[in-house]
Amino acid sequence: MNIGEVSTHTGLPAKTIRYYEDINLITPLRDDNGYRRFRDQDIHKLNFLGRARALGFTIDDCRTLLALYEDESRASADVKRVARDHLAQIDAKISDLRGMRDTLSHLVDACAGDDRPDCPILKDLGSKA
Amino acid sequence: MNIGEVSTHTGLPAKTIRYYEDINLITPLRDDNGYRRFRDQDIHKLNFLGRARALGFTIDDCRTLLALYEDESRASADVKRVARDHLAQIDAKISDLRGMRDTLSHLVDACAGDDRPDCPILKDLGSKA
DNA sequence: CATAAGGGTTCCAGTGACAGGAAGGTCAAG
DNA sequence: CTTGACCTTCCTGTCACTGGAACCCTTATG
């Protein structure tokens, strides 16, 4: 398979696939004309990466997970640790965002949103809390 | 005030303050020795920026908000629009993250996390869902 | 007076995970 | 033979800073 077809199959942009090769996440073969030729294992890896990235794992995490995936003698504890850490990060980010959202939605509600200049949003931002 | 003192007062790193000058968010004066000299209005702006950034507004949004802040004849509707748009983005991000968290927490719960290689997390990532 | 510590300055490079685009080679169809 | 769709590499830009090098200014101390 050429990169275009792989892109369609995996849902990953060709740019992204090339990038993944660049950083040594995958190593497709090359045809005589220089085109990348993707084997089933490459496509499998790309699907793995797509899933992992969709769950918000960093590229570094993906590298670790991929290595564990291919290591038959791994301990599931190692996988779980990576996932649990990432879960904690996600939770932290969610709670950050919720804090912002709560403050911001109060401010938005309090703002008339008309032609007048008076605005609680700006008033809040302008006050050193 | 010199940059160090301003940094302490505003809680912003000196690097960040210099960056904000670089991108023309603030324009402190200069002493004869080349040191930045910050007036009250500069510090006020920096506090504003700190608050706005803490609420997750982009630098571009901050620029807009700052301009509105200084425009006595603004319409609060303009402010509200910026804030509402940003709120929508935050909500979108939260729901993205919640989706990830739900999937991921199921997987983490399902994983034994022991010495054995069998792992539902990797199994899920490896299946093209 | 020399010096050392603790400010300040500029400029350059790196971050993460790609995306956009230019310049050019390759392939199948008409 | 040409057209258009594909592929290649390489360079730049994103966002909001952060780290570090190399150097200047100020104040206190031996």
Side-chain angles (χ1 to χ4, degrees), chain B residues 41-99:
Chain B
Q41 50 166 296
D42 299 317
I43 293 162
H44 200 79
K45 276 195 196 183
L46 286 171
N47 278 318
F48 185 100
L49 290 168
R51 287 278 291 155
R53 291 288 300 130
L55 289 178
F57 284 104
T58 64
I59 290 286
D60 227 47
D61 283 344
C62 288
R63 204 183 294 278
T64 304
L65 290 171
L66 210 46
L68 288 168
Y69 188 60
E70 303 195 311
D71 175 8
E72 301 279 326
S73 72
R74 71 194 160 241
S76 69
D78 291 337
V79 183
K80 189 167 184 170
R81 187 173 336 106
V82 174
R84 213 178 331 99
D85 287 358
H86 179 47
L87 188 54
Q89 301 241 353
I90 288 179
D91 281 337
K93 200 169 291 183
I94 288 176
S95 94
D96 267 14
L97 287 172
R98 266 214 281 257

Side-chain angles (χ1 to χ4, degrees), chain A residues 16-128:
Chain A
T16 299
I17 298 172
R18 291 195 195 97
Y19 173 67
Y20 286 171
E21 182 187 13
D22 231 48
I23 62 173
N24 298 311
L25 282 174
I26 52 167
T27 41
L29 304 174
R30 295 290 179 141
D31 281 340
D32 290 343
N33 56 16
Y35 287 19
R36 290 169 183 81
R37 187 159 52 82
F38 294 84
R39 293 155 294 177
D40 282 355
Q41 50 166 296
D42 299 317
I43 293 161
H44 201 78
K45 277 194 194 183
L46 286 171
N47 277 318
F48 185 99
L49 290 168
R51 288 278 289 155
R53 291 288 301 131
L55 288 178
F57 285 104
T58 64
I59 290 286
D60 227 46
D61 283 343
C62 288
R63 204 183 293 279
T64 305
L65 291 171
L66 209 46
L68 289 168
Y69 187 60
E70 302 194 314
D71 175 8
E72 300 279 326
S73 71
R74 74 198 158 236
S76 68
D78 291 338
V79 182
K80 189 168 183 170
R81 188 175 335 105
V82 174
R84 211 177 333 97
D85 288 357
H86 177 47
L87 189 53
Q89 302 241 353
I90 289 178
D91 281 338
K93 200 168 292 182
I94 288 176
S95 94
D96 267 15
L97 287 172
R98 267 214 280 257
M100 292 180 194
R101 199 204 50 175
D102 287 354
T103 303
L104 202 52
S105 71
H106 283 317
L107 292 175
V108 166
D109 286 349
C111 177
D114 55 20
D115 289 348
R116 292 169 300 169
D118 191 47
C119 177
I121 301 173
L122 292 181
K123 195 175 298 178
D124 180 276
L125 291 174
S127 73
K128 61 175 109 181

Side-chain angles (χ1 to χ4, degrees), chain B residues 13 15-16 19-20 33 35 53 58-59:
Chain B
K15 279 272 186 189
T16 299
Y19 173 67
Y20 287 171
N33 57 14
Y35 288 17
R53 291 288 300 130
T58 64
I59 290 286

